[in-house]
Every structure is written in structure tokens, then in C-alpha cells.
Amino acid sequence: FPVTIRRQAAYVSDATTEAVVNLMEQNNQSAVFLVIDEFASMILNRGKYSKGLNSDAQFYNSAYSGQIPVVARKTTGISGCGTGGVSILGGTQPALLQQLFSKSSPESGEWARYCFSYIPSVIRTIDCEDDSDVLVDFSEYLADVYQKIFDYGAKKYSLSKEAYRLWATKSNEFNQKVATCPQPYLQHVYSKANEILGRFALVLPLS
């Protein structure tokens, strides 16, 4: 009988939301990293397989909060782990941002879940004589990195008292802005910024 080999994947560059759920279950892991070369295509093609219902947006909104849906299909049965996380990294042209923003209502809070950064253009020169950098093979190194990711067990981290005090001070400021800001869109921004602040407080000491 043929042997079916299941590939583990630490990241994918293109996948439907249902495929993301299946991948998380298949890998027995609680997170998937989406590396999207053209972030605009991911947003503009949402709802492509659901007759335009745009359920993809709700999926990623829930995934931001660690809630992964359990999917039930007549043909494939039940899949999904219920909890987990999806990290998204991508790039797009600044001119396309306004078009992307128009794909969802400001009140949904969707765009408040993303962190945008502008990377200025830098002139890079290539040494016409030295081709050593072109011949470097990172395959073994990357394979080792991915294996360590899969082998990394669940761990619990907590802030020190000083770090917690600093975070709590800023968190209170954001909560105050959420309560007093008259613009609904900015209320979502401040609310999500509060959550992002807590994540950065935990992650930065580990980097």
C-alpha cells in the first residue's frame, strides 16, 4: 500500500481559511504563519469561495483573539482546534491602502488589528566581482529553524512587577481614550492598540 507522507508547514503563502484550520490540526500546532507577498490580493479576493459572503474577514478577526472555528463539512467531517493564532506578514503599495480600507466598515475594527509600517526606499549596490552571497545555501539552516519551532513546547510567560506596572499605566490611558473618543473607528484603534501593547510587552524581552 502506498504510504501517505504528511508535510509539516510552519508557514504558507496562500491558503483558504478552511485550509488554514486543517493545517493547524494536521500539524498538531496552535499557530500558522501566513507570508503574503501581495497583501492586497488576500484582501481583494476575500469571499472568492463563499459567493462573496466575505466570511474570511470574520475568520481573521476571530483568529486575532485566539479563536479558531471548528469546521464541520458533510464531505470532510469535523476539523479545527477551537483556539490558536494566525500571524500575517505581507506588503503592499501605499497607493492601494485606500482601496483596501474600503473593503470593510471602519466600525468592524478589522484594520485596527493590523500594524502598518512604511519602509523607505534604499539604494542598494551589488558588487559586480563578488558573487559569494549568491551561492549561499540556507536550506539546512532553515530546516533546523523550522524543526526547532515544531519541537518547541508550550510555555507560560509573565511580566515582572516593574514591566507590569509600566504596561498597566499605558493600558489605563488607552482604556480612557476608548471611553472618551467620539469617533467609533478610533475607539477600535485604541482598544486593539491596548492588546498589541500587551503582546509587545511579552514578546520583546524574548527577542
Side-chain angles (χ1 to χ4, degrees), residues 3-9 22-23 25-28:
V3 177
T4 301
I5 300 176
R6 288 189 172 185
R7 296 178 56 189
Q8 288 183 310
N22 291 335
L23 180 61
E25 184 178 49
Q26 175 180 309
N27 289 348
N28 194 27

Side-chain angles (χ1 to χ4, degrees), residues 29-107:
Q29 61 186 27
S30 59
V32 169
F33 188 25
L34 298 183
V35 183
I36 311 297
D37 181 43
E38 290 292 341
F39 179 70
S41 64
M42 172 184 167
I43 302 300
L44 298 177
N45 289 329
R46 288 190 308 200
K48 181 178 179 180
Y49 301 103
S50 57
K51 299 181 180 180
L53 296 179
N54 199 16
S55 59
D56 294 353
Q58 286 74 30
F59 173 87
Y60 289 114
N61 284 354
S62 297
Y64 176 89
S65 302
Q67 302 299 317
I68 303 299
V70 176
V71 180
R73 294 288 184 271
K74 182 178 180 179
T75 55
T76 59
I78 298 176
S79 63
C81 46
T83 60
V86 178
S87 296
I88 302 174
L89 175 66
T92 189
Q93 296 81 5
L96 286 177
L97 284 179
Q98 189 61 44
Q99 183 181 359
L100 299 182
F101 290 156
S102 66
K103 295 291 290 184
S104 63
S105 169
E107 287 75 16

